[in-house]
Amino acid sequence: MLLKTSLRSFFAHKGRMVLSLLAIVLSVAFVSGTLVFSNTATSTFDKLFATTASDISVQPAEDKVTKGDHRGGGKPASVPIATAQKIAALPGVKTAVGEVFTTDATLVDPATNKQVGPTSGAPTITGNWVETPRNSLELTSGAVPKGSGQILLDADTVKKAGLHLGSGLRVITDSGSYDFSISGIATFKTTNPGAALAFMDTETAQKILLGSTAYTSVEAFGDGSRSNDQLKADALSALGTGYQAKTAQEQKDENAKGVGSFLDFMKYAMLGFAGISLLVGGFLIINTFSMLVAQRTRELGLLRAIGGSRRQVNRSVLVEALILGVIGSTLGLGAGLGLAKLLIQLMSAVGMNLTAASLTIGWSVPVAGYAVGVIITLLAAWIPARRAGRISPMAALRDHGTPAEAKANRIRAVIGLTLTVGGGALLAAAAGADKAATGGMYLGYGVVLSLIGFVVLGPLLATTVVRVLGAVLPKLFGPSGRLAQRNAMRNPRRTGATAAALMIGLALVTGASVFTSSMVSSTSAQIDKSVGADYIVSANNSLLTPAMVKAAQGTEGLAHLTEQKLLPAVITTPDGATTETGVSAVSPTFTADFRLPVKTGTTESVTTGGISVSEDFAVKHNLAVGDKLSLDYGHGMTQTLPIGLVTTQGNSLFDNNFFTGIDTVGKAVPAAQMPGDGAVFGKAADGADKAKTLTALQKSLEAYPQLTVKDQAGYKEIIQSQVNTLLYMIYGLLGLAIIVAVLGVVNTLALSVVERTREIGLLRAIGLSRRQLRRMIRLESVVIAVFGALLGTGLGLAWGITAQRVLAGQGLDTLTIPTGTITVILLASALVGLFAALLPAFRAGRMNVLAAIATD
């Protein structure tokens, strides 16, 4: 009987649940689509790694300090050619081939002087073409490279760069620039992870990539008579020390770990934003069932009058919610497959070629989809269901039978104020915390408590705030404005829940805007304060070669260039602690181009045999100027340096950095083992035109399109662009929550129109025109939307300002309030309100007056 009643009620009011259903569909689609995409990508790469890995891969032993970092001017470590012969002679080895691979070379189209291949993210891999039993690519056009003038390129890179067989291709390495002609094109057998691959013959690859007759690895394939673990043990035994060997499974795990970290970050970030949209959708569902319960007061009262218990009425509402959740989750799972295909196409557009033909769904996808959709719906419907169970049988004899809310409002006020004050106190504690870690913990708790507090207080704030916001409406719009104001105030609980949905999304947008704006302004201020260099030259995903530095040094109008090299090192302090880090080796002119923040010591010591440490590091290890640090650069290269400078904490350019001179490091690290420059900094000569010198510097380096040459203003623009990219990504992911929030406003107004059918009919009967009626509903919507935007903006400002204060000691010391963005948010919220009211207002205007008055 209960199920039959619930089903009849659900389908009788199905039109009023459409928008709630849509919110569930969107949220479940986002969750399931993200999981399907992640599963498909992971499965695709697992197949790639499993089908291309050799049975064992023999490589140089990994140094405990460098951990595989390329040394010697960017050239990778190598093994002798004889290694391949020794491995091939082992029992159970069918084939052993030597391979040469590096990610340090840059590909350039000489016809356009543009870089070929990815400029960020995935690498450009250059090596030798060799046939193996498990090649990841197959030749599909042309011929394999032969001789020093031919090169083979993967098909995806050829297509993106607009190249073809016979096109020229320049390869820039640490040893120089080399021109080739494309002799062949190869296609990936499974998928392209987004990299660009270029192949030469073995002799040419060894010459220009290694500078020696050697291999970077030897790949062995067994005949099946011995296990991979046995082959590995035999290989290491035959070769002795200085080598490492990895089985096929170990290679697969290592490769999957690199790709998996990116996919996991993407997955959890998207699931986090899906969670926000689910939270917002919960308010929509609460409003839907609250209004349906209010509209069905007489019906529920009659159920109680004929013997229905509170529990049965409660369950009837929850059963309707269950039906809604199941249907929404089912449709959401279908929509999620479409979203997964869209994500795959987007990744293909940026170079990671996946196929949507074989989506990997797995059991976790439907389980997560139904769990999310059904549980969220049931939780959101629980409060209205509980309220429905409290309706008395006498309510059937009255037009309205909602329980008195005075006591509930008092409880709400106490809880809401407690949470809000507690959240505010935590935010204040975070802003005043001495350590960023402590402040971050307080900030997280403060955000959660203040958000919940505002949600709880929303209905109580609605009456006061809406009265103020709507005060001008009667003067501007007459009766329509007065009715809109009173309608928004009539049911504060409904108004508060509707506004809360918008509040959450806009609070996050505002907080992110404050934080990123402060990040940009802080970095710009630190550059102005600390950087004296006029020009910055950096490379994309690579190092500057000696040829590049020499070309820059010959620029007319340039006084000098400051080089900066980064060397991996393990630093041992006098207390015995070890720290894995990087040491910046700089030119003597570094102290002229940078104004180091001095706590103790002298800046000159950095380039005269000493080393700098940051204030936090010094405090942690009880260090002072004159104390000595032991540095291990790997491969047996060590030295001991005295601390000559302790830098003041709070400048992101210098915090947690260790600076010393290139000449100083050169006493321990031979020139052949010294890495290339991570960046160089130029200073214009006295009296030189800085703009013309910048142009001249760019001209000097035009043969190297992988380099970025900027003055200080241009460098700031790059930082702004990078931060904006992050911010726009956040905006895009929060877009789903905003869409669901807009659906909530539409839903509230649409159900409100149904609820007030008789009232609307009476208003029309006493002279309110259709135009005035529609305007009334639009204004009501605008007031609710702006109310939510004001709450969200206030919360977002509090969160963003607190986050800036927490990180003030880490370099984020300039607070910037993006007034333009906040203004746009408030104006956009009003437009959202207008848009959300279009359909409900149109429907209300078309009501038949007599039929509306006769509605029960």
Side-chain angles (χ1 to χ4, degrees), residues 390 403-415 460 493:
R390 297 208 311 262
E405 296 186 358
K407 182 179 179 181
N409 284 342
R410 287 194 297 270
I411 296 174
R412 177 186 292 271
V414 172
I415 295 175
L460 303 179
R493 177 178 288 176

Side-chain angles (χ1 to χ4, degrees), residues 139-145 150-152 165-166 182-186:
L139 184 69
T140 52
S141 182
V144 298
Q150 294 186 352
I151 197 166
L152 180 147
L165 289 176
I182 297 177
S183 65
I185 298 173

Side-chain angles (χ1 to χ4, degrees), residues 354-393:
L354 304 172
T355 175
S358 55
L359 294 177
T360 303
I361 299 175
W363 63 267
S364 62
V365 175
V367 169
Y370 279 109
V372 165
V374 173
I375 291 175
I376 289 297
T377 306
L378 288 175
L379 287 176
W382 181 79
I383 295 176
R386 184 169 175 270
R387 195 176 299 143
R390 297 208 311 262
I391 294 176
S392 69

